[in-house]
Amino acid sequence: AQKITQTQPGMFVQEKEAVTLDCTYDTSDQSYGLFWYKQPSSGEMIFLIYQGSYDEQNATEGRYSLNFQKARKSANLVISASQLGDSAMYFCAMTWGSWGKLQFGAGTQVVVTP
Amino acid sequence: SQTIHQWPATLVQPVGSPLSLECTVEGTSNPNLYWYRQAAGRGLQLLFYSVGIGQISSEVPQNLSASRPQDRQFILSSKKLLLSDSGFYLCACLGHRNTEAFFGQGTRLTVV
């Protein structure tokens, strides 16, 4: 069965530093999509970045980049130059095959300190 | 882009009462639709998803049901709420290019 794993329940990062959030997935499908979302304390789900399984280049969106290592089945999120407003819960998600189900990982709580 | 309307934002219901949460989508047709539940500080648990009208897949056997009476309407229901049904409920829609999922603002349900 398909599975998304985020092994870091929480982490502290200093302002202006980069942080890497881990995400591994397990699927036998060749076609799948990977997403990262940010959820601040308000509960709103904010889309950050998307990577398709056939995309050869790593996705980037501003300060966010996705380190996609297909052979290792990992899709880590890198946030460069952390800001206080980056403090939130971060979720990795995947959809696959016929693109029906959209499954989320357990999340990583990030706290950015001054 | 798609917009999801989800209401109400908060709801307090007694144990044993019925529930109906509605989600409607604008800006797309024939979207994939999802209901998630989130306990405080936890991840998103997929409850139901739908790839078309009348097509509902259930992920977790429980006290809840879902229906999709129209293309852009997704309803989460319960006949009798349990205390364990409390949580933050999110409706989502996969965009037409499948490269972004759009979320409603969520409903915070407290069963008392």
Side-chain angles (χ1 to χ4, degrees):
Chain A
Q2 281 78 0
K3 191 176 177 181
I4 290 268
T5 303
Q6 294 180 254
T7 57
Q8 306 154 307
M11 53 198 309
F12 288 91
V13 59
Q14 204 148 17
E15 199 177 4
K16 298 180 185 176
E17 289 187 348
V19 59
T20 298
L21 307 183
D22 296 340
C23 173
T24 58
Y25 58 92
D26 187 15
T27 181
S28 55
D29 284 81
Q30 296 302 307
S31 178
Y32 51 89
L34 297 156
F35 308 76
W36 277 93
Y37 279 82
K38 170 185 177 181
Q39 187 183 42
S41 57
S42 64
E44 178 187 8
M45 293 292 286
I46 301 169
F47 169 76
L48 297 178
I49 200 164
Y50 167 83
Q51 179 85 39
S53 59
Y54 294 117
D55 295 339
E56 294 186 352
Q57 293 199 332
N58 288 341
T60 59
E61 290 285 351
R63 293 186 299 112
Y64 304 105
S65 60
L66 197 152
N67 184 3
F68 182 45
Q69 298 188 42
K70 196 169 182 176
R72 296 181 60 186
K73 295 188 176 177
S74 82
N76 298 340
L77 178 72
V78 179
I79 306 174
S80 63
S82 296
Q83 302 171 355
L84 295 177
D86 293 334
S87 294
M89 187 77 117
Y90 288 81
F91 292 103
C92 179
M94 180 173 76
T95 185
W96 62 90
S98 60
W99 301 74
K101 196 180 296 189
L102 176 61
Q103 199 90 31
F104 280 76
T108 296
Q109 181 72 50
V110 172
V111 176
V112 181
T113 59
Chain B
S1 66
Q2 288 82 43
T3 303
I4 296 192
H5 300 283
Q6 185 184 345
W7 65 92
T10 58
L11 192 58
V12 180
Q13 292 284 101
V15 168
S17 65
L19 172 74
S20 181
L21 299 181
E22 187 169 341
C23 167
T24 59
V25 180
E26 290 181 359
T28 188
S29 58
N30 197 31
N32 285 1
L33 297 173
Y34 306 86
W35 277 111
Y36 294 92
R37 178 170 62 200
Q38 185 180 28
R42 305 294 295 274
L44 275 67
Q45 179 188 30
L46 179 61
L47 302 175
F48 301 94
Y49 69 97
S50 171
V51 298
I53 296 174
Q55 300 179 60
I56 308 294
S57 296
S58 172
E59 285 298 294
V60 182
Q62 58 205 331
N63 186 41
L64 301 171
S65 62
S67 63
R68 185 171 178 174
Q70 298 180 48
D71 181 42
R72 289 173 287 179
Q73 184 185 31
F74 204 23
I75 298 171
L76 182 70
S77 304
S78 173
K79 291 183 180 177
K80 287 186 179 181
L81 284 169
L82 307 171
L83 287 174
S84 57
D85 292 324
S86 294
F88 187 53
Y89 288 81
L90 284 158
C91 179
C93 148
L94 196 59
H96 71 279
R97 292 193 300 172
N98 294 333
T99 58
E100 183 174 348
F102 298 87
F103 282 82
Q105 293 301 300
T107 296
R108 208 164 293 278
L109 172 66
T110 304
V111 183
V112 296

